[in-house]
Amino acid sequence: MLKQYMEFKRLTIRELATQARVSRSTVGHLVSGARRTAKPETARAIEEALGAPPGLLFEPRASRVSREVKRDPVPA
């Protein structure tokens, strides 16, 4: 969908990366499918640069990753 929207707007990977203020490799990997996810701020920047409605090109998804945080014991 991203590639089709870029073609519709007649933007190259370089032009989109510059307008969205993200790296060319990020845009290139998303277009090629080498990368299938993006940080929310990156997705927003790309959609804004393309003039696309929020959520059109990237589906928001919550991460299932949880981290264990080692905490120091509270002194008594």
Side-chain angles (χ1 to χ4, degrees):
M1 179 84 158
L2 174 60
K3 185 176 182 178
Q4 292 172 343
Y5 214 86
M6 287 174 59
E7 288 172 359
F8 173 71
K9 293 290 189 165
R10 297 181 185 194
L11 286 174
T12 65
I13 289 171
R14 179 177 289 203
E15 291 167 336
L16 177 56
T18 299
Q19 289 182 21
R21 294 188 171 132
V22 298
S23 72
R24 282 183 287 159
S25 63
T26 296
V27 175
H29 288 133
L30 288 168
V31 169
S32 72
R35 242 178 109 173
R36 299 182 64 187
T37 62
K39 293 179 182 178
E41 58 271 15
T42 301
R44 238 183 335 270
I46 291 172
E47 288 176 331
E48 286 177 12
L50 288 169
L56 177 70
L57 303 174
F58 298 95
E59 181 179 318
R61 195 179 306 174
S63 174
R64 295 183 202 168
V65 176
S66 63
R67 295 183 186 174
E68 287 187 31
V69 178
K70 183 177 179 181
R71 297 181 185 205
D72 294 328
V74 179

